[in-house]
Amino acid sequence: MLHFVNNVMIASIHKYAEMEDRKLSEYERRLYEEEKLRKRRKCILCILLVGVVLGTGRKIYSLWIRPYFEYKKEVEGLSQVQVGDTVKFGRYNTNFINVGTEQLEWIVLQKEGNVLMLITKEGIAGSVYHHKHEQIQWEDSDIRAFLNDTLYNDVFSKYEQEIILDNPESGDRLSLLSEAEADSLFCDDTSRQLAVTDVAKGDGVNVNLVGKTNYWDLKDYHSSWWWLRGNNQRSKIAPIVTEDGSILVDKKYVNKPNGAVRPVVWVVGWH
């Protein structure tokens, strides 16, 4: 009898020990799982922090650092140019291959002391002169609003905007050539012929390519027509430079699509 009771007590002790071991194992496993979860959360947090730091760094670089050093290099280039030279100034999306924007090239049309008149080497966008078929003057046109708001802020950094002057004729920061300027500042029709960027083509700009059926394709010109700045007389027609480089003042209605935009800007070349 005593032996039986002893065996029962020993069995109870073993069973209790097994239960305690099982509880301990479950507790240890729970601790392990919680520790693993903490490490995973910490790892995710670190990845997020690295992403934020890198993202913020890229943003600071693209918004402040790169524009500043590009501006310093641009000013150095502007201080050495002559009429007819090509310079880089500002940024805009010009092709669909590269992500982001590319530096724009401009031709120096005039130089008066340290003041330069620049025009883009290519047509960089496509637009109507005015969206409604109505009599309109330059001052109230949609293309003027586009140039001096959307395009101006997209192209130029805050550093570049500091050296941009008002156009002496129109009072705009970003403008188009007038008919008289297009006539006097280019030596001939050929020099006025305009190539356009891939993005401008994507905007619908009409490109004069061989193989079309239009009469002017027979001339073998590879160019686009582009808008000029009208005067402040109300009209349904705006002046243009044609595909072959000639100037027409009674060719296009103001709401005609597919015209190339070739901005003009006045800048202080150096201080």
Side-chain angles (χ1 to χ4, degrees):
M1 183 66 179
L2 183 61
H3 179 70
F4 173 75
V5 171
N6 188 47
N7 287 339
V8 170
M9 291 179 64
I10 292 174
S12 298
I13 291 171
H14 282 302
K15 187 174 182 180
Y16 177 78
E18 290 176 359
M19 290 175 63
E20 289 298 317
D21 288 342
R22 192 178 301 115
K23 289 180 181 178
L24 184 60
S25 297
E26 290 176 356
Y27 177 70
E28 290 176 341
R29 186 175 67 253
R30 190 163 59 250
L31 286 179
Y32 171 75
E33 293 295 336
E34 289 176 355
E35 180 64 21
K36 187 167 66 172
L37 182 60
R38 278 196 295 270
K39 289 181 178 180
R40 186 179 302 165
R41 288 173 176 170
K42 186 176 180 180
C43 182
I44 293 173
L45 181 60
C46 289
I47 292 172
L48 291 174
L49 287 173
V50 169
V52 169
V53 170
L54 291 177
T56 303
R58 282 195 296 268
K59 189 173 183 179
I60 291 174
Y61 173 77
S62 63
L63 291 179
W64 300 95
I65 299 176
R66 184 184 69 186
Y68 175 75
F69 284 103
E70 280 188 354
Y71 160 75
K72 298 295 286 186
K73 190 172 182 179
E74 288 167 349
V75 170
E76 181 181 354
L78 290 170
S79 67
Q80 302 171 9
V81 297
Q82 301 298 325
V83 172
D85 289 347
T86 300
V87 294
K88 290 183 178 180
F89 188 59
R91 281 182 163 269
Y92 200 61
N93 187 16
T94 60
N95 66 66
F96 295 112
I97 298 176
N98 297 332
V99 177
T101 58
E102 295 75 40
Q103 285 188 281
L104 283 180
E105 290 189 310
W106 303 72
I107 298 171
V108 181
L109 288 182
Q110 280 187 341
K111 180 178 181 180
E112 301 176 0
N114 66 337
V115 177
L116 306 172
M117 180 188 190
L118 310 177
I119 188 170
T120 53
K121 184 178 180 180
E122 298 178 306
I124 64 172
S127 176
V128 297
Y129 192 89
H130 192 67
H131 285 90
K132 291 183 179 180
H133 182 66
E134 62 182 3
Q135 289 193 337
I136 192 73
Q137 59 188 8
W138 165 256
E139 188 176 64
D140 302 318
S141 65
D142 291 332
I143 197 169
R144 178 177 181 261
F146 167 68
L147 285 165
N148 287 277
D149 185 3
T150 304
L151 199 62
Y152 179 75
N153 290 304
D154 284 349
V155 170
F156 303 115
S157 69
K158 72 181 189 70
Y159 304 108
E160 292 160 341
Q161 291 180 10
E162 291 177 356
I163 64 170
I164 294 176
L165 305 173
D166 290 342
N167 187 302
E169 289 194 7
S170 68
D172 302 310
R173 286 301 179 97
L174 206 55
S175 188
L176 302 177
L177 286 183
S178 67
E179 174 196 349
E181 289 170 334
D183 181 52
S184 63
L185 297 175
F186 291 87
C187 58
D188 53 29
D189 288 355
T190 301
S191 63
R192 279 188 291 267
Q193 292 175 15
L194 180 69
V196 297
T197 66
D198 290 340
V199 172
K201 293 177 186 176
D203 285 343
V205 170
N206 193 314
V207 180
N208 182 16
L209 298 174
V210 174
K212 290 184 179 179
T213 58
N214 303 66
Y215 76 95
W216 38 259
D217 286 315
L218 301 177
K219 300 177 183 179
D220 196 27
Y221 293 126
H222 297 263
S223 57
S224 299
W225 64 271
W226 43 289
W227 293 109
L228 296 176
R229 185 181 80 245
N231 54 35
N232 275 328
Q233 294 181 349
R234 304 182 74 83
S235 175
K236 292 183 179 180
I237 296 174
I240 67 164
V241 174
T242 66
E243 296 86 356
D244 61 7
S246 59
I247 299 170
L248 293 179
V249 297
D250 58 355
K251 176 73 174 179
K252 300 290 185 183
Y253 285 110
V254 293
N255 64 333
K256 176 71 176 179
N258 306 331
V261 178
R262 193 178 191 185
V264 173
V265 66
W266 286 79
V267 300
V268 178
W270 63 95
H271 299 286

